[in-house]
C-alpha cells in the first residue's frame, strides 16, 4: 500500500532533474509491486526531524517484520567502489569522487531507529497487556537503487556494498527476498522463521505515526513542536455513539494529500466553532482552527485544512490531564474526544 507519493520539487539543474526522475522511477516500481499489499506500506520522500537532527529518506518500506530504507541515486556512466568504501563515477568520460549513498542511508536508518524507540509507548501496545512492545529484534535493511543505465563495476567492489547496490528494475526482486513474506497460515506452523512480527493494527499505528512526523519541504516547518507531537497517537479504537450536537453550515472541502491510498469517507466540513467555545483542535501545519474538513481514513479520524490542504489527526492528548489514553468517537456530524483516565469529554467538532 502506498501511503505517500513522491513530493515533486521545482528543479532547474540537470543533476536535480535527473535525481528527481530516478526517485520517480523507483516509486513507480514500488507502486506496481506493492500498491495492493496490506502488509507492505510504502512512504516515498519521507523527511523527519528528531533530537535536533533532520533526515530525508527517499523510500521507506514498513512491513510485517520490519523496515527497509532505499536511497535512490541517479548515476549515468560507470560507478566504482574501492576496498575503503570510497565511491567514484564517470560522467562524460571524466572520473570524479562522490559521497557514499550507503553511508548516507545508514545515518538515516540510525536516526529513524532512535525516533521510533523514543515513541514506542505511543506507537505499540503491550504484549498480553503486560510487557511493552518495542522495535528491538525487528528486521532492518537498507539498499541503494541506481539508474538502470548505469554500469556497475562489481569486480573490485566490496561484497557488503555490492549486495546492497541494485539497478532500479531489479530492486523489487531483492525486496521480496529480504521481506520473505509468507501466507499467514504458513507463519503459524513455521518453526524456522523466528522473526517477531507486527500485527496489522501495529502496522497501521506505525504508519500513522510516521505520516504525522513528515515535514513537507514546501512549507516553512522544520521540526515538530511539542504540542504537535502530543497529537501523535496509535490507531483509534472503534468509534462509539455519543449524543448528537448541532453543527453549522458547510463550506467546500479540500483534497487529501498524504494518505494517498486511504479509503476516506468525505464528511460535512466545519464552518466555525461557536464564539463561546474554545477550539480544541487546529491544523498542526498552519494553525487554522475554523476552516477544515473532518475525514476518516485507514488511520482513523483526522481533519483536512481548507487553508493549507494538510492533514491533522483528531486524536490527541487529554487537554485536562495530558493523558494519551484517549479516543475519538463520532455520532453523525459530531466528534468527541474522550479520556479514559480522568473521564474528560469534550466535543471536538
Amino acid at each position: 500500500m502506498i501511503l505517500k507519493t513522491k513530493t515533486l520539487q521545482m528543479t532547474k539543474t540537470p543533476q536535480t532533474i535527473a535525481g528527481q526522475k530516478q526517485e520517480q522511477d523507483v516509486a513507480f516500481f514500488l507502486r506496481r509491486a506493492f500498491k495492493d499489499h496490506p502488509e507492505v506500506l510504502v512512504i516515498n520522500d519521507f523527511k523527519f526531524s528528531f533530537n535536533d537532527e533532520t533526515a530525508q529518506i527517499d523510500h521507506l518500506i514498513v512491513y510485517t517484520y520490519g523496515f527497509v530504507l532505499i536511497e535512490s541515486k541517479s548515476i549515468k556512466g560507470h560507478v566504482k567502489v574501492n576496498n575503503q568504501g570510497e565511491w567514484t563515477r564517470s560522467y562524460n568520460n571524466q572520473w570524479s569522487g562522490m559521497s557514499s549513498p550507503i553511508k548516507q542511508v545508514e545515518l538515516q536508518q540510525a536516526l529513524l531507529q532512535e525516533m521510533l524507540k523514543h515513541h514506542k509507548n505511543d506507537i505499540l501496545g503491550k504484549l498480553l497487556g503486560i510487557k511493552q512492545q518495542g522495535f528491538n529484534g525487528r528486521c532492518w535493511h537498507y539498499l541503494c537503487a541506481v539508474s538502470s543505465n548505469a554500469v556497475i563495476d562489481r569486480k573490485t567492489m566490496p561484497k557488503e556494498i555490492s549486495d546492497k547496490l541494485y539497478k532500479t528494475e531489479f530492486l523489487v526482486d531483492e525486496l521480496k527476498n529480504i521481506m520473505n513474506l509468507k501466507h499467514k497460515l504458513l507463519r503459524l506452523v513455521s518453526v524456522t522463521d523466528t522473526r517477531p512480527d507486527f500485527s496489522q493494527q501495529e502496522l497501521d499505528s506505525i504508519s500513522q505515526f510516521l505520516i504525522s512526523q513528515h515535514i513537507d519541504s514546501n512549507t516553512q516547518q522544520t521540526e515538530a513542536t511539542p504540542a504537535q507531537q502530543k497529537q501523535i497517537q496509535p490507531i483509534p479504537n472503534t468509534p462509539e455513539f455519543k449524543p448528537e450536537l448541532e453543527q453549522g453550515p458547510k463550506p467546500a472541502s479540500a483534497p487529501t494529500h498524504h494518505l494517498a491510498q486511504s479509503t476516506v469517507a468525505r464528511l460535512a466540513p466545519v464552518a466555525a466553532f461557536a464564539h463561546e467555545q474554545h477550539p480544541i483542535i487546529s491544523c498542526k501545519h498552519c494553525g487554522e482552527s475554523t476552516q477544515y474538513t473532518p475525514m476518516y481514513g485507514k488511520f482513523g479520524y483526522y481533519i483536512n485544512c481548507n487553508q493549507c490542504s494538510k492533514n491533522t489527526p483528531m486524536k490527541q492528548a487529554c487537554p485536562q490531564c495530558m493523558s494519551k489514553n484517549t479516543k475519538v468517537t463520532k455520532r453523525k456530524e459530531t466528534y468527541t474526544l474522550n479520556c479514559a483516565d480522568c473521564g474528560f469529554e469534550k466535543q471536538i467538532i
Side-chain angles (χ1 to χ4, degrees), residues 74-92:
S74 175
I75 298 178
K76 294 183 178 180
H78 290 68
V79 58
K80 295 181 180 180
V81 183
N82 62 22
N83 290 330
Q84 285 72 41
E86 300 167 336
W87 290 58
T88 55
R89 64 179 175 183
S90 66
Y91 183 73
N92 289 337

Side-chain angles (χ1 to χ4, degrees), residues 21-291:
K21 183 182 182 304
Q22 169 62 9
E23 290 186 42
Q24 289 179 288
D25 289 345
V26 173
F28 168 79
F29 280 97
L30 295 178
R31 183 174 66 251
R32 289 287 298 272
F34 305 118
K35 66 178 181 179
D36 297 321
H37 203 308
E39 297 180 80
V40 181
L41 310 178
V42 180
I43 303 176
N44 296 294
D45 193 14
F46 175 53
K47 185 177 182 180
F48 68 99
S49 290
F50 178 73
N51 197 23
D52 297 326
E53 299 290 339
T54 301
Q56 190 269 333
I57 301 173
D58 290 339
H59 315 276
L60 173 61
I61 294 178
V62 185
Y63 70 106
T64 303
Y65 298 108
F67 307 84
V68 184
L69 288 75
I70 303 170
E71 176 71 15
S72 294
K73 190 63 65 175
S74 175
I75 298 178
K76 294 183 178 180
H78 290 68
V79 58
K80 295 181 180 180
V81 183
N82 62 22
N83 290 330
Q84 285 72 41
E86 300 167 336
W87 290 58
T88 55
R89 64 179 175 183
S90 66
Y91 183 73
N92 289 337
N93 295 322
Q94 293 188 356
W95 287 88
S96 62
M98 61 175 288
S99 58
S100 169
I102 298 297
K103 287 297 181 183
Q104 182 178 348
V105 74
E106 282 180 356
L107 294 174
Q108 295 166 356
Q109 176 177 290
L111 188 62
L112 179 63
Q113 286 177 315
E114 288 181 29
M115 183 177 70
L116 290 174
K117 290 178 181 179
H118 181 78
H119 290 284
K120 66 180 181 180
N121 292 345
D122 300 330
I123 304 171
L124 300 178
K126 293 183 178 181
L127 182 62
L128 301 177
I130 302 174
K131 184 178 180 181
Q132 175 62 51
Q133 296 273 57
F135 293 95
N136 291 330
R138 311 295 180 173
C139 297
W140 288 87
H141 294 88
Y142 53 84
L143 302 172
C144 178
V146 298
S147 308
S148 296
N149 57 359
V151 179
I152 303 174
D153 187 350
R154 299 186 184 271
K155 293 181 180 179
T156 59
M157 185 176 296
K159 185 178 185 303
E160 62 270 18
I161 295 179
S162 179
D163 290 344
K164 298 182 182 300
L165 186 61
Y166 290 87
K167 289 190 176 184
T168 303
E169 66 265 33
F170 300 110
L171 177 65
V172 168
D173 293 335
E174 178 59 18
L175 287 173
K176 291 180 178 179
N177 289 333
I178 289 175
M179 293 187 287
N180 189 23
L181 293 175
K182 301 180 177 66
H183 191 277
K184 292 183 179 180
L185 293 178
L186 293 178
R187 294 178 202 167
L188 296 176
V189 299
S190 176
V191 295
T192 58
D193 193 344
T194 59
R195 296 176 294 174
D197 59 343
F198 294 121
S199 67
Q200 190 62 51
Q201 185 178 12
E202 288 172 335
L203 283 177
D204 294 341
S205 183
I206 294 169
S207 302
Q208 179 190 13
F209 171 80
L210 293 173
I211 289 295
S212 70
Q213 290 294 291
H214 172 66
I215 301 172
D216 193 334
S217 299
N218 293 323
T219 68
Q220 296 295 322
Q221 183 181 3
T222 58
E223 61 181 6
T225 64
Q228 292 169 349
Q229 291 176 352
K230 290 175 184 176
Q231 295 181 1
I232 300 162
Q233 302 292 338
I235 186 169
N237 297 327
T238 303
E240 297 177 356
F241 289 106
K242 295 292 176 182
E244 180 180 359
L245 297 178
E246 188 176 2
Q247 186 176 344
K250 305 173 182 179
S253 61
T256 300
H257 292 301
H258 293 319
L259 302 182
Q261 296 296 320
S262 296
T263 303
V264 296
R266 289 195 171 269
L267 305 172
V270 174
F273 288 96
H275 291 295
E276 65 273 11
Q277 288 183 314
H278 180 72
I280 195 174
I281 190 170
S282 60
C283 176
K284 69 176 183 179
H285 301 278
C286 70
E288 174 60 42
S289 61
T290 59
Q291 299 296 324

Side-chain angles (χ1 to χ4, degrees), residues 333-349:
E333 309 306 330
T334 299
Y335 299 80
T336 305
L337 181 70
N338 303 271
C339 178
D341 289 339
C342 72
F344 174 85
E345 181 176 308
K346 185 173 179 63
Q347 178 186 352
I348 301 177
I349 298 173

